[in-house]
Amino acid sequence: MTSVLKLSQKETAFNQEVVTRFELYNSLFLTLPFYQVKDTGILLPFFSSHCEHGAAEQMAPLDIIRSFFEKYVPDIDREERLNRLFRFIQYIERQVVLFDSIEDAAFNKLGHTDEGGGTLQGLLQQAQSRDEMRKTIGEKLNKFSLRLVLTAHPTQFYPGPVLGIMTDLSEALKHDDINSVNLLLQQLGKTPFFNKTSPTPVDEAVSLAWFLENIFYNSAALIQAKVDEQFDGKGDHEVIELGFWPGGDRDGNPNVSSKSTEEVVGHLRRSIFRCYYREFKEMKKRITFRGVNQAMGALENILYQNAYNANPKPTNQKDEILTHLGTVKDVLEKDHYSLFVGLVDSMIRKVKLFGCYFATLDIRQDSRVLRNVYQYCTDNSSLKSAASSKYFDLEEDDKLKAIQFTEINYSPLDDADALVKDTLQTIRLMKDIQQSGGEKACQRFIISNCQQASDILQLMNLFLWSGWKKEQLSVDFMPLFETVHDLANAADVMEKLYTHPYYKEHLKRRNNKQTIMLGFSDSTKDGGYLMANWSIYKGKVELTAMALKYGIELAFFDGRGGPPARGGGKTHRFYSSMGKEIANDHIQLTIQGQTVSSLYGSQDTAVFNMEQLVNAGIVSAMHPNSNDLVDDKHKELISSMAESSYKKFMDLREHPLFLKYLEKMSPLKLLSNINISSRPTKRNAGSELKLEDLRAISFVTSWSQLKQNIPGFYGVGTALKQMQDEGHWNSLKGLYKSSGFFKTMIDNCMMSMSKSDFRITAYLAEDKTFGAFWKMLKDEFDLTSELLLTLTDSEVLMQEYPVERKSIAIREKIVLPLVILQHFALQQLNTLPADDKFYSVYNKLIVRTVYGIVNAGRNLA
């Protein structure tokens, strides 16, 4: 009864703080004269209502749009109709921003701390209650780290100026400052939401660095301060670590080069020194005492020069900065009653956290590219003595024996392929980056599509051929296992590495620590939702056992996207449900797309979400034998479900209409026209579309635009039905109540389904080509929905999370007109000849709707 009351109170608070305020400010917003067509804001509510009614009647989008104009604006021609539709899009995009800002402003009033896990504050309160508990939590925190890695995946649609407006708008909304809100909404109306050209990798880095400077600089330090103060720490163990991919991730991105990598490193350095200098200026206003002038003057010079003057050969000045800050602190404590010493402590903490680099730049490349580089080197005459010319004809075990690990300072010939030259140049550049920013500035090389131990060892050999020395190879080599097949073989690959003499020596120099990256997105595309989750879970268990066998401290780096279909959703619940079978002392995950702005777009949300992940890691470490453990009997059940789901999903993938449906009925082919990413939407960009080349992010985004979210649920209903038919239903219900892992998997599936709306494509049921295919998708959706409600004893999806359910419902209502507009334009394109004068306009209309739909979903891509 108490939990039901709490849920009701939360829903009431959400209605008061978010829904009512959105209705109020939205009415103000719709009266602002942003555009040439002055009645757009007046017409929009009628258009939205008309779309809702049409969707409820399951009308075809084409008929919904036509009937709207016939009813409300009958006297305008086709061109003017299209013009009005573009104006509607511009308003709706900004309605999404308004709703985001109102939710962010109300964040602290909505009681999120009870929802989905505890926070760091909860842990600290436990620590205060008992000395023994305090000691245990302190020990766990001293081993634990949370690494958030910002990645430039193409779903972060808000440019820097819009993010700045959103931050100010949220602040004005907190205080109900109507004048400021009014001005900011007008500014929002005049500010472009998208780029006219595709960004470069450096542009992407600058965009994401906005979050480093404006959010993470303070929020990460705030969490570190809480830990240090509670457990008498001195900031020597970093609880929060930041990573960065733009400019370093070259997997399938021909636009990333060693030059752009170098530029990004320079930008990150300037960004962190700008933060330091701003904080120093505030500190300087207060610390005006005798005895500090020399140290303060030296500090100001270092910080200013690095923040605003380019230096072609910068050096790592972290220790020098800390020495000067230490001098200032000593004088304050000795001569000035420790006045304002807290300001100095704050800056010392940040310098220890971020050094001269801000965030560790990861380098990532596909194993197939690295093999080609290695082959070029082995075929080159000057290296023949260091490698067998028949190396690539050898079996894997023989390859491992053949690699000689010889130190040679080699440079490729002038006629070498550009990718070969750039790869070898990047390897050399990593050493320069470490010398200028410290080892942590660039210490990780990730090998994507890693399939065998030789993929790692060959890369290590390339380092030794590029000026690195064995004893000074200060780089962590990280395999990325991402397909269902590769995940199944991952433990065997690692055993070959752990037992290889040279790799053993390298790991010893790296304190016997190994990080392994696991990719969620490709495993979902490869095997469906249940199989992806189960493959990663099993893979983690097997990899943990292998690491324990050889005395290796293991950390998993999870490549998770925003939506549940790409590993997102209630991520912290996954981590809190890891039992003793899975290494969980360190949590590392990618933060990408809309997840960046939705979970880390403000100080309040960033601190809360980081604290949840810290809490999840510590709770999992403290209670490894809790009910979250999945016993052998239930593992068999989940495995059986995964196999059943996998078969259903593979049957869908192999259906002759599968790709054709996605190409015709979603904006898949047009995603490359959206100027939000430097990376192509598929590998082998110039070739015919193949599913294996299609990036997981494009795959999932296309289904989310269709409002069908197939990767997030397809096959789950079939698997549940099998369990029911085989008499395992009660056992499965018990598992849902007892296992955090299984519950999170099911709850995230329901979140995906809550963002689906088959009414919009219901017209396809009568389509001659796709009718039966659409019905097959709808039948699995209905079956999954029915059985999930039964399994969770619910009347509606996400019943246990009323605030999130209401938020999703409102967002879906806001963008319903965009979804209908998109499908209206797709219907037109599928019937018009390519030389029709409006053909390109419909293309543009589709592209323009994508932004708002993803932004509203907050974790759709």
Side-chain angles (χ1 to χ4, degrees):
M1 185 67 186
T2 305
S3 61
V4 173
L5 183 61
K6 276 187 178 180
L7 293 178
S8 175
Q9 289 171 342
K10 286 179 184 177
E11 195 165 5
T12 301
F14 183 81
N15 287 335
Q16 290 173 345
E17 296 295 333
V18 177
V19 179
T20 302
R21 296 175 85 210
F22 175 69
E23 290 170 354
L24 174 67
Y25 284 110
N26 189 41
S27 61
L28 168 67
F29 172 74
L30 290 174
T31 62
L32 297 177
F34 293 145
Y35 308 109
Q36 296 168 354
V37 184
K38 63 182 179 181
D39 59 349
T40 303
I42 298 169
L43 273 177
L44 183 57
F46 295 103
F47 182 63
S48 298
S49 176
H50 193 82
C51 287
E52 284 180 50
H53 177 75
E57 296 290 321
Q58 298 191 1
M59 293 170 61
L62 196 61
D63 296 330
I64 293 173
I65 301 303
R66 281 176 178 165
S67 59
F68 168 77
F69 282 114
E70 287 168 3
K71 181 176 181 179
Y72 292 99
V73 200
D75 299 326
I76 58 175
D77 60 17
R78 186 181 181 188
E79 186 171 350
E80 182 54 29
R81 286 185 177 190
L82 287 168
N83 185 41
R84 297 288 175 102
L85 295 180
F86 279 107
R87 302 303 180 202
F88 286 151
I89 292 170
Q90 290 173 307
Y91 265 88
I92 294 168
E93 283 176 332
R94 286 155 178 81
Q95 281 182 313
V96 172
V97 172
L98 176 61
F99 190 78
D100 282 349
S101 300
I102 290 171
E103 266 201 329
D104 289 344
F107 186 82
N108 287 332
K109 296 181 180 180
L110 296 180
H112 286 282
T113 49
D114 297 331
E115 228 172 78
T119 63
L120 183 59
Q121 194 59 40
L123 272 181
L124 300 182
Q125 286 171 355
Q126 289 183 53
Q128 289 171 348
S129 62
R130 298 201 308 273
D131 287 343
E132 187 181 336
M133 179 69 78
R134 185 176 188 276
K135 182 182 176 185
T136 303
I137 293 174
E139 287 172 353
K140 298 298 181 186
L141 280 168
N142 205 40
K143 288 176 61 180
F144 175 82
S145 65
L146 167 66
R147 179 184 290 261
L148 301 178
V149 182
L150 302 182
T151 72
H153 282 290
T155 54
Q156 172 49 355
F157 291 166
Y158 292 137
V162 174
L163 290 169
I165 295 169
M166 289 174 71
T167 300
D168 293 341
L169 186 56
S170 290
E171 201 56 38
L173 287 163
K174 282 181 185 177
H175 303 99
D176 284 319
D177 182 352
I178 293 179
N179 288 334
S180 295
V181 170
N182 187 28
L183 286 170
L184 288 164
L185 288 175
Q186 290 192 58
Q187 183 187 357
L188 193 67
K190 297 287 187 181
T191 303
F193 268 46
F194 56 94
N195 304 310
K196 291 190 175 180
T197 58
S198 292
T200 66
V202 178
D203 293 333
E204 290 172 330
V206 171
S207 176
L208 277 179
W210 185 94
F211 291 94
L212 292 178
E213 284 195 50
N214 293 279
I215 306 296
F216 287 104
Y217 178 72
N218 285 311
S219 57
L222 184 64
I223 292 172
Q224 186 72 44
K226 285 185 183 181
V227 173
D228 290 346
E229 288 163 12
Q230 182 67 38
F231 298 100
D232 305 319
K234 298 178 181 177
D236 296 324
H237 171 68
E238 294 156 15
V239 175
I240 306 293
E241 300 172 340
L242 298 177
F244 206 70
W245 272 20
D249 178 18
R250 55 242 307 131
D251 175 17
N253 190 344
N255 299 307
V256 178
S257 65
S258 57
K259 184 176 182 299
S260 55
T261 301
E262 197 169 4
E263 286 183 47
V264 169
V265 168
H267 180 77
L268 289 175
R269 184 184 179 98
R270 288 189 297 277
S271 294
I272 188 57
F273 275 98
R274 280 199 299 268
C275 292
Y276 291 155
Y277 186 65
R278 282 194 292 266
E279 185 160 347
F280 173 81
K281 285 197 297 183
E282 293 303 310
M283 189 172 79
K284 187 181 175 185
K285 289 178 185 177
R286 300 289 166 262
I287 301 175
T288 53
F289 316 131
R290 287 191 179 92
V292 298
N293 289 351
Q294 188 174 347
M296 291 288 282
L299 272 172
E300 183 162 24
N301 183 57
I302 293 170
L303 301 181
Y304 181 84
Q305 292 299 328
N306 279 280
Y308 299 108
N309 293 332
N311 183 348
K313 288 200 174 289
T315 57
N316 183 15
Q317 295 177 274
K318 176 181 175 180
D319 290 341
E320 189 180 351
I321 296 167
L322 289 173
T323 298
H324 291 309
L325 287 168
T327 300
V328 174
K329 181 176 179 179
D330 288 344
V331 172
L332 294 181
E333 290 178 336
K334 182 181 174 184
D335 300 331
H336 303 292
Y337 310 105
S338 296
L339 202 57
F340 300 122
V341 77
L343 298 177
V344 183
D345 281 338
S346 171
M347 196 153 186
I348 288 173
R349 186 176 296 113
K350 285 163 182 160
V351 174
K352 286 182 176 181
L353 272 176
F354 308 122
C356 296
Y357 59 91
F358 215 154
T360 300
L361 184 70
D362 289 347
I363 305 297
R364 183 173 77 138
Q365 184 55 281
D366 189 280
S367 63
R368 289 163 289 195
V369 172
L370 296 172
R371 285 176 211 149
N372 289 340
V373 174
Y374 196 78
Q375 182 147 23
Y376 170 85
C377 292
T378 56
D379 289 346
N380 188 275
S381 58
S382 65
L383 282 174
K384 282 195 173 174
S385 60
S388 167
S389 60
K390 296 184 179 178
Y391 171 81
F392 281 98
D393 296 329
L394 300 174
E395 294 295 323
E396 172 68 0
D397 288 344
D398 293 327
K399 282 181 182 177
L400 302 186
K401 294 172 187 173
I403 301 174
Q404 297 176 29
F405 302 104
T406 310
E407 294 173 359
I408 300 172
N409 202 349
Y410 166 75
S411 295
L413 300 176
D414 291 340
D415 64 351
D417 180 80
L419 196 52
V420 169
K421 288 181 179 177
D422 190 74
T423 301
L424 296 173
Q425 177 59 35
T426 300
I427 289 172
R428 290 179 181 275
L429 178 61
M430 286 181 72
K431 183 188 285 188
D432 296 337
I433 295 170
Q434 288 192 5
Q435 288 172 348
S436 65
E439 183 181 309
K440 287 187 176 179
C442 189
Q443 65 177 147
R444 299 164 24 128
F445 200 119
I446 301 160
I447 302 93
S448 56
N449 191 41
C450 187
Q451 298 176 328
Q452 48 206 18
S454 57
D455 287 331
I456 300 279
L457 298 179
Q458 286 161 195
L459 176 59
M460 295 178 76
N461 219 13
L462 289 177
F463 271 75
L464 299 182
W465 292 347
S466 302
W468 288 79
K469 303 295 182 185
K470 292 178 187 178
E471 301 296 323
Q472 286 86 44
L473 189 49
S474 51
V475 175
D476 297 316
F477 296 93
M478 297 165 46
L480 166 53
F481 302 110
E482 39 197 338
T483 66
V484 171
H485 177 268
D486 290 347
L487 285 163
N489 295 329
D492 291 337
V493 170
M494 295 313 299
E495 183 165 36
K496 287 180 178 178
L497 287 170
Y498 295 150
T499 56
H500 189 279
Y502 179 73
Y503 196 76
K504 276 174 69 175
E505 284 301 309
H506 175 72
L507 273 187
K508 196 177 292 183
R509 288 191 293 271
R510 305 301 290 165
N511 299 315
N512 276 331
K513 293 180 178 179
Q514 174 68 55
T515 304
I516 296 172
M517 187 172 181
L518 302 176
F520 199 108
S521 303
D522 280 291
S523 52
T524 306
K525 181 174 74 100
D526 189 44
Y529 181 73
L530 277 183
M531 181 56 86
N533 276 281
W534 185 236
S535 295
I536 288 175
Y537 184 92
K538 280 198 308 177
K540 283 189 172 184
V541 170
E542 291 164 4
L543 287 163
T544 301
M546 193 61 71
L548 287 171
K549 180 179 176 182
Y550 293 100
I552 305 299
E553 182 183 338
L554 181 61
F556 289 114
F557 175 24
D558 293 312
R560 292 177 175 272
R566 296 186 55 239
K570 294 182 176 298
T571 310
H572 61 278
R573 285 190 177 273
F574 273 117
Y575 291 113
S576 64
S577 66
M578 299 293 105
K580 64 182 178 181
E581 293 181 295
I582 293 176
N584 207 33
D585 281 341
H586 307 279
I587 292 177
Q588 303 185 18
L589 68 157
T590 53
I591 305 295
Q592 56 189 252
Q594 277 306 106
T595 311
V596 182
S597 54
S598 63
L599 298 185
Y600 302 93
S602 71
Q603 189 85 4
D604 293 337
T605 56
V607 169
F608 175 78
N609 285 295
M610 282 192 282
E611 286 192 4
Q612 274 206 317
L613 289 167
V614 172
N615 180 284
I618 301 303
V619 166
S620 175
M622 288 171 60
H623 308 292
N625 296 310
S626 69
N627 291 334
D628 283 327
L629 283 175
V630 182
D631 60 30
D632 290 342
K633 175 189 167 189
H634 285 117
K635 281 179 182 176
E636 287 179 18
L637 282 185
I638 300 175
S639 182
S640 177
M641 288 178 66
E643 289 295 337
S644 173
S645 171
Y646 177 71
K647 183 179 183 306
K648 182 75 173 176
F649 188 79
M650 292 307 291
D651 286 346
L652 176 68
R653 270 185 42 145
E654 291 162 10
H655 194 289
L657 290 178
F658 182 71
L659 264 185
K660 189 177 180 184
Y661 178 82
L662 208 53
E663 280 190 287
K664 280 276 188 184
M665 299 303 161
S666 83
L668 174 63
K669 289 192 295 185
L670 296 172
L671 290 180
S672 59
N673 297 338
I674 301 176
N675 296 316
I676 52 168
S677 175
S678 67
R679 178 190 291 198
T681 55
K682 69 184 183 75
R683 294 175 175 88
N684 300 321
S687 62
E688 181 186 352
L689 179 65
K690 295 177 184 174
L691 189 57
E692 56 267 29
D693 288 337
L694 185 61
R695 292 193 176 281
I697 197 164
S698 305
F699 180 73
V700 172
T701 300
S702 297
W703 284 112
S704 72
Q705 295 288 309
L706 267 165
K707 286 296 163 192
Q708 292 176 353
N709 290 329
I710 293 301
F713 77 85
Y714 197 86
V716 175
T718 296
L720 289 171
K721 186 71 171 68
Q722 177 183 312
M723 292 294 102
Q724 194 178 55
D725 292 344
E726 292 177 0
H728 300 303
W729 195 249
N730 288 336
S731 183
L732 209 60
K733 291 192 80 163
L735 183 64
Y736 178 76
K737 291 175 181 175
S738 66
S739 166
F741 164 73
F742 186 70
K743 176 176 170 53
T744 304
M745 190 165 62
I746 293 299
D747 288 352
N748 280 345
C749 178
M750 288 194 285
M751 184 190 292
S752 275
M753 298 182 73
S754 296
K755 297 180 181 183
S756 302
D757 189 348
F758 276 80
R759 299 174 308 166
I760 293 159
T761 49
Y763 71 97
L764 289 174
E766 306 303 321
D767 189 88
K768 290 180 182 177
T769 304
F770 296 114
F773 185 83
W774 180 89
K775 191 171 186 307
M776 181 175 69
L777 302 178
K778 178 66 162 55
D779 287 347
E780 183 66 13
F781 178 86
D782 290 341
L783 176 66
T784 306
S785 181
E786 176 192 339
L787 292 176
L788 284 177
L789 293 176
T790 305
L791 177 69
T792 59
D793 292 323
S794 302
E795 294 179 6
V796 292
L797 295 172
M798 294 186 70
Q799 183 171 301
E800 195 176 332
Y801 310 101
V803 169
E804 288 178 331
R805 179 165 50 85
K806 189 76 175 281
S807 176
I808 289 171
I810 293 172
R811 289 172 178 280
E812 293 300 309
K813 182 177 179 180
I814 292 171
V815 296
L816 177 65
L818 294 187
V819 181
I820 286 173
L821 280 177
Q822 185 181 105
H823 288 275
F824 155 75
L826 283 165
Q827 277 188 278
Q828 293 281 35
L829 285 184
N830 289 336
T831 56
L832 286 177
D835 59 354
D836 186 282
K837 73 172 186 173
F838 290 105
Y839 193 87
S840 62
V841 180
Y842 288 118
N843 270 316
K844 185 181 176 185
L845 189 67
I846 292 166
V847 168
R848 290 289 286 108
T849 59
V850 171
Y851 296 90
I853 295 170
V854 171
N855 284 339
R858 281 206 154 183
N859 69 353
L860 280 182

